[in-house]
Amino acid sequence: MFRFEKASRAAMAGVFAIGLLVGCSEADPKAVPRLPERVCWGAFSSTEVAEFLPTGDKVTIRARPFVLADNMDEVTCNVNVDGIERFTAHAAYQDFEDLIEWGSWAGPDSRPIGVGKKGIVWPGGAGTYFVCEPSGSPSEPGKYIKLYIDTSKPPGKGEVQNTLPGLLQEFLTFAERELKCPGAAAKK
């Protein structure tokens, strides 16, 4: 009887050890891929952007330099996870203020926000614009900068709509500073 119990314990210990080894060999759960400390021209911290990214294996960031010198210039920063675009920050230069509109973005779930001029937030994104150099008359061009952030797969509608206005304000402050807008210094 004693040998039976000893053999039984040894067998159970072996099964337990095999179970531990199998558990250790399984892949670790996926996480959001590691990002650089600052993302998209340095406008955002990695922790801010990571909130909007799904789990995955590899992140790539594509952006050309943040330069908006002529009318219709545009720059975009795309953060891709496993080859799929998941976070976008976009800036565009317009000569005339009345050309900037959010009608195509506005829907039943959008609402105005107090960021820049005519700021708006919608499920998964937010946009605004600011005056870098005002025009002297309706027919004279100025320098108006349109900004938006878009998240392809938002974590939750209410959560995104509460988080994006602050992120958009950071983007606006960054753009004013980078573009050396004379109106930005007067506001502070």
Side-chain angles (χ1 to χ4, degrees):
M1 180 84 169
F2 180 70
R3 281 187 188 176
F4 179 74
E5 287 178 355
K6 191 174 182 182
S8 176
R9 281 189 211 142
M12 286 179 26
V15 169
F16 181 73
I18 291 171
L20 285 175
L21 291 174
V22 169
C24 291
S25 68
E26 291 180 17
D28 291 332
K30 284 192 173 191
V32 173
R34 185 176 165 95
L35 295 165
E37 189 175 320
R38 301 295 300 173
V39 180
C40 294
W41 315 288
F44 312 108
S45 75
S46 60
T47 55
E48 293 168 326
V49 173
E51 286 183 53
F52 300 101
L53 302 179
T55 59
D57 295 317
K58 184 179 178 189
V59 68
T60 54
I61 301 170
R62 293 180 306 139
R64 67 180 182 89
F66 193 87
V67 177
L68 299 172
D70 295 316
N71 181 40
M72 304 297 282
D73 272 356
E74 297 182 358
V75 291
T76 302
C77 174
N78 293 313
V79 179
N80 301 327
V81 176
D82 295 338
I84 300 170
E85 187 177 297
R86 298 299 187 172
F87 179 90
T88 301
H90 180 84
Y93 174 150
Q94 294 283 320
D95 272 346
F96 295 98
E97 188 171 16
D98 61 352
L99 296 176
I100 299 173
E101 59 86 26
W102 296 109
S104 60
W105 302 89
D109 293 330
S110 66
R111 63 178 167 82
I113 56 173
V115 177
K117 295 187 82 169
K118 295 184 186 173
I120 184 173
V121 65
W122 59 86
T128 192
Y129 76 95
F130 66 94
V131 180
C132 189
E133 296 175 21
S135 62
S137 71
S139 61
E140 187 180 321
K143 187 173 184 179
Y144 303 92
I145 308 299
K146 179 179 179 177
L147 306 170
Y148 74 80
I149 296 170
D150 190 49
T151 62
S152 298
K153 189 173 183 181
K157 183 176 113 180
E159 185 180 322
V160 170
Q161 286 191 332
N162 292 333
T163 304
L164 280 174
L167 202 57
L168 186 62
Q169 180 62 57
E170 280 186 54
F171 192 19
L172 186 145
T173 302
F174 165 83
E176 287 176 329
R177 182 181 67 244
E178 289 298 305
L179 299 174
K180 297 174 179 49
C181 294
K187 290 192 311 187
K188 294 178 180 169

